[in-house]
Amino acid sequence: MKQVQVLDKTFTTYITKVEISERINAIAKELNERYSHKKPMFIAVLNGAFLFASEIFAQFEHPAEISFVKVASYHGTESSGELKTLIGLNSAIHGRDLIIIEDIIDTGKTFHELLPNIHAQNPASIAIVSLLVKPEALKYPVKADYVGFEIPNKFVVGYGLDYDGYGRNLPEIYQIVSE
Ligand code: 5GP
Ligand code: MG
């Protein structure tokens, strides 16, 4: 087991580069089959999903677009507290087959808040692709259509995922040793 230090925390190898590549190949194959007669629009959610999204997109063999969006938090009405919205979705998504690419679904709050806005713009279909899902942490009824790995409720970094901005360039996925 290889250990790495990111800022003040220690992490240990959890998912290898080979395992990540194998899952990406398998998901890309499914997308290539399902969307062979569509012109989907990939939506990569920055920052965490940028590496994952680029590898998935690079393996897509049919006409497709990609758009990069960011989740921004804002304060809604007094009672609802912080809400999330998507910024950067500048192309029309009405009637489009959307493939949303995320790095990780933790509580599901992000998607739970984003999906109604996306649905409201009447896309033809929505598929969620998430590299990682933490089933034990899920608090909202969000289900990814394509999942790289289901992982326990422990903090991970690497392959795009950060700890306070660092660790995104680690080629493998690392799990925290102790919180
Ligand atoms: P959710 O809204 O599903 O609770 O949270 C999703 C977001 O939380 C992810 O997009 C990611 O930014 C962050 N997150 C949740 N768990 C982890 C983790 O283990 N590692 C990292 N780096 N980010 C996480
Ligand atoms: Mg994310």
Side-chain angles (χ1 to χ4, degrees), residues 19-139:
E19 290 169 326
I20 296 170
S21 296
E22 283 172 0
R23 284 302 296 141
I24 289 174
N25 294 346
I27 291 170
K29 187 166 181 282
E30 289 188 59
L31 295 176
N32 274 319
E33 283 162 16
R34 173 164 165 189
Y35 294 94
S36 60
H37 300 290
K38 312 269 185 191
K39 289 192 178 71
M41 184 188 289
F42 288 73
I43 297 177
V45 184
L46 298 175
N47 296 326
F50 79 105
L51 284 177
F52 179 52
S54 69
E55 290 200 22
I56 291 273
F57 190 65
Q59 291 199 31
F60 192 70
E61 296 165 351
H62 313 287
E65 291 181 78
I66 188 165
S67 185
F68 297 89
V69 303
K70 223 167 164 150
V71 178
S73 295
Y74 65 95
H75 292 277
T77 55
E78 332 69 64
S79 54
S80 52
E82 207 176 62
L83 288 170
K84 290 187 165 78
T85 185
L86 268 191
I87 53 173
L89 199 58
N90 40 25
S91 341
I93 59 173
H94 178 90
R96 300 298 303 268
D97 291 291
L98 306 181
I99 303 174
I100 305 176
I101 316 265
E102 249 291 25
D103 53 353
I104 184 164
I105 297 175
D106 184 27
T107 64
K109 187 173 196 286
T110 305
F111 267 116
H112 186 72
E113 291 180 1
L114 295 181
L115 283 175
N117 297 330
I118 295 174
H119 275 292
Q121 296 181 56
N122 291 312
S125 68
I126 301 175
I128 297 175
V129 184
S130 190
L131 173 62
L132 304 170
V133 174
K134 290 178 175 171
E136 296 159 11
L138 207 62
K139 289 193 188 123

Side-chain angles (χ1 to χ4, degrees), residues 139-179:
K139 289 193 188 123
Y140 297 84
V142 170
K143 201 171 174 323
D145 301 272
Y146 304 90
V147 174
F149 303 90
E150 291 196 344
I151 63 168
N153 194 6
K154 279 195 171 180
F155 193 76
V156 291
V157 292
Y159 196 70
L161 290 105
D162 73 306
Y163 166 49
D164 257 2
Y166 289 88
R168 295 192 198 278
N169 52 328
L170 293 168
E172 321 202 295
I173 294 172
Y174 288 79
Q175 188 179 62
I176 198 157
V177 169
S178 56
E179 307 252 2

